[in-house]
């Protein structure tokens, strides 16, 4: 099956083939004006200027006229919690009235509230609610997503969540990676040490045996899990081949970056309270620092200092953190806009943070995150827009005209 997209005003493509972009490299975006894009069996075959097209277009099975729109690689969203039950707008109102996220958690709300709701749903009901969010983000231009467990907080419900993630993976063309986040909060009825023991001795082996997760996460933060808890959990996960992706430094400088680096984490996420020393540790690391500007926006919290990190030579990614408590939105275009407006990233830096570097934060930038021959043909066509800078500038305008995943319109 050959598909050709013609009359692209500007194609954002990848001429460097780099698996991630660091520091100053992040402000560069390769573009071909007046371009075509050729896709074969869901994979990018070639691209170039319309003048070079010649015979290629003639034998395509499908011709898509971009009508002067731009083509960009689909967003990659390397941190979400889209498998959850119900919603938590009551806490949203509590926050408006003055309670903080941490206070709500201390009163037994927050993550535990979502766990109580999830407990009442069958796997089928949970799937039916969650697949809607997967379809929603795909229509908004996301082609690759990481989904975490972490609202089960007992073995049966964590497995239920991970099986739902697997079903989503099987039912959408978007690439899905699964992360086990049993250490999201201490489940009701356990002391913390009982819970961590149970997680290590029971949950991780079950998840490992069923191969339900590629990655393992811990909410390493004040009031949740300590670096010591985190180290024990990550050692147990490593025995089953699960590489860490860590929640760190959201509520306080938690020591999460150091423990994550020690255990070879693929990413460290949140980082609203990251220290200068931790930024130095991340400069030459393979671990991708991932900012979640939607969370800072929704919780009225400080933003992670991604500008400072890029200036220090770090690679950075951004993600939505789509979840019922701290960011009920998976709109990556808005995440890119917030990265520019609130974190002072250039539009080109924010786009790279939400595509190639985001794919790297999920361990899949060899196949996703940019348009390059041999990579999956995940892209979207915009309405005619003057430049890529217009994307975060027009921060609520629906600029995506058509989204494609693996070469098929979604
Ligand atoms: O990444 N901070 C920890 N976990 C989620 C929020 C989960 C929730 O409030 O339901 C986050 O923001
Ligand atoms: Fe999160």
């Amino acid at each position: 099956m050959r598909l050709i997209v013609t009359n692209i005003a500007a194609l954002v493509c990848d001429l460097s083939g780099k698996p991630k972009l660091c520091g100053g490299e992040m402000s560069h975006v390769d573009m071909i004006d007046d371009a075509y894009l050729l896709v074969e069996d869901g994979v990018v075959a070639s691209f170039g200027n319309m003048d070079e097209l010649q015979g290629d277009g003639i034998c395509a099975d499908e011709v898509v006229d971009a009508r002067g729109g731009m083509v960009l690689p689909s967003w990659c969203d390397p941190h979400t919690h889209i498998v959850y039950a119900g919603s938590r707008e009551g806490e949203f109102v509590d926050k408006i009235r003055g309670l903080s996220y941490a206070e709500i958690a201390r009163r037994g709300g927050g993550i535990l509230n979502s766990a109580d709701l999830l407990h009442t749903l069958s796997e089928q009901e949970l799937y039916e609610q969650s697949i809607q969010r997967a379809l929603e983000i795909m229509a908004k231009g996301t082609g690759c997503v990481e989904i975490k467990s972490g609202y089960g907080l007992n073995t049966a419900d964590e497995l239920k969540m991970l099986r739902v993630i697997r079903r989503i993976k099987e039912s959408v063309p978007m690439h899905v990676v699964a992360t086990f986040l049993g250490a999201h909060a201490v489940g009701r009825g356990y002391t913390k040490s009982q819970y961590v023991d149970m997680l290590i001795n029971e949950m991780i082996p079950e998840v490992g045996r069923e191969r339900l997760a590629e990655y393992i996460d811990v909410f390493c933060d004040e009031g949740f899990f300590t670096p010591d808890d985190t180290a024990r959990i990550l050692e147990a996960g490593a025995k089953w081949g699960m590489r860490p992706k860590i929640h760190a430094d959201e509520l306080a400088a938690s020591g999460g970056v150091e423990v994550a680096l020690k255990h070879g984490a693929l990413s460290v996420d949140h980082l609203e309270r990251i220290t200068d020393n931790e930024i130095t540790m991340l400069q030459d690391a393979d671990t991708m620092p991932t900012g979640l500007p939607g969370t800072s926006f929704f919780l009225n919290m400080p933003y992670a200092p991604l500008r400072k990190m890029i200036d220090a030579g770090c690679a950075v990614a951004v993600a939505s953190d789509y979840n019922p408590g701290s960011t009920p939105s998976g709109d990556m275009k808005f995440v890119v806009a917030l990265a520019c407006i609130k974190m002072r990233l250039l539009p080109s830096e924010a786009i790279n943070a939400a595509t190639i570097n985001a794919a790297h934060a999920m361990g899949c930038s060899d196949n996703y995150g940019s348009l390059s021959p041999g990579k999956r043909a995940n892209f979207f066509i915009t309405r005619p827009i003057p430049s890529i800078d217009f994307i975060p500038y027009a921060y609520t305008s629906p600029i995506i005209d058509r989204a494609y995943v693996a070469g098929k319109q979604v």
Side-chain angles (χ1 to χ4, degrees), residues 79-81 148 181 184 217 247 250 269-270 292 295 321 323 326:
H79 181 138
T80 80
H81 309 250
K148 300 174 192 293
L181 175 55
H184 199 190
D217 192 349
H247 279 73
E250 176 186 358
D269 305 17
H270 274 289
L292 310 172
T295 309
D321 196 20
N323 75 72
S326 66

Side-chain angles (χ1 to χ4, degrees), residues 174-223:
M174 175 170 67
H175 184 60
V176 175
V177 303
T179 298
F180 169 61
L181 175 55
H184 199 190
V186 174
R188 287 202 202 276
Y190 296 92
T191 63
K192 190 170 69 155
S193 85
Q194 284 169 342
Y195 187 75
V196 173
D197 286 347
M198 190 269 289
L199 196 145
I200 290 172
N201 298 321
E202 195 178 300
M203 285 188 185
I204 290 177
E206 294 257 6
V207 173
R209 262 192 293 277
E210 276 197 57
R211 295 178 187 281
L212 284 167
E214 290 101 306
Y215 303 117
I216 183 162
D217 192 349
V218 177
F219 188 10
C220 180
D221 222 315
E222 195 174 81

Side-chain angles (χ1 to χ4, degrees), residues 95-274:
K95 276 178 253 163
I96 295 169
R97 292 205 162 105
L99 283 189
S100 72
Y101 181 80
E103 277 160 351
I104 291 169
R106 273 198 298 276
R107 292 174 182 209
I111 296 167
L112 292 179
N113 192 345
S114 287
D116 292 342
L117 276 172
L118 186 133
H119 188 65
T120 64
L121 295 192
S122 67
E123 186 180 311
Q124 178 62 22
E125 288 165 329
L126 183 61
Y127 171 78
E128 283 166 13
Q129 293 193 16
S130 307
I131 189 74
Q132 296 307 325
R133 300 181 196 111
L135 297 173
E136 173 204 330
I137 62 173
M138 231 170 37
K140 283 187 181 290
T142 296
C144 185
V145 67
E146 183 252 25
I147 310 177
K148 300 174 192 293
S149 70
Y151 294 116
L153 309 184
N154 63 48
T155 305
D157 287 333
E158 282 295 310
L159 293 176
K160 178 164 84 184
M161 286 191 77
L162 289 165
R163 291 190 191 116
V164 167
I165 297 173
R166 186 163 63 190
R167 281 183 67 189
I168 293 174
K169 199 188 282 212
E170 288 162 1
S171 31
V172 293
M174 175 170 67
H175 184 60
V176 175
V177 303
T179 298
F180 169 61
L181 175 55
H184 199 190
V186 174
R188 287 202 202 276
Y190 296 92
T191 63
K192 190 170 69 155
S193 85
Q194 284 169 342
Y195 187 75
V196 173
D197 286 347
M198 190 269 289
L199 196 145
I200 290 172
N201 298 321
E202 195 178 300
M203 285 188 185
I204 290 177
E206 294 257 6
V207 173
R209 262 192 293 277
E210 276 197 57
R211 295 178 187 281
L212 284 167
E214 290 101 306
Y215 303 117
I216 183 162
D217 192 349
V218 177
F219 188 10
C220 180
D221 222 315
E222 195 174 81
F224 289 84
F225 296 90
T226 64
D228 284 346
D229 301 327
T230 305
R232 283 186 62 210
I233 293 166
L234 298 187
E235 274 155 30
K239 293 193 185 124
W240 292 92
M242 292 179 232
R243 196 170 166 192
K245 279 173 71 66
I246 297 296
H247 279 73
D249 290 347
E250 176 186 358
L251 307 173
S254 66
V257 169
E258 193 171 356
V259 70
L261 285 171
K262 210 160 157 193
H263 289 82
L266 189 55
S267 71
V268 275
D269 305 17
H270 274 289
L271 310 178
E272 291 86 352
R273 325 266 173 176
I274 192 170

Side-chain angles (χ1 to χ4, degrees), residues 365-386:
S365 67
D366 49 347
N367 269 317
Y368 300 91
S370 66
L371 293 171
S372 168
K375 282 196 175 187
R376 204 59 53 91
N378 289 359
F379 60 90
F380 57 82
I381 305 174
T382 71
R383 296 174 180 182
I385 53 173

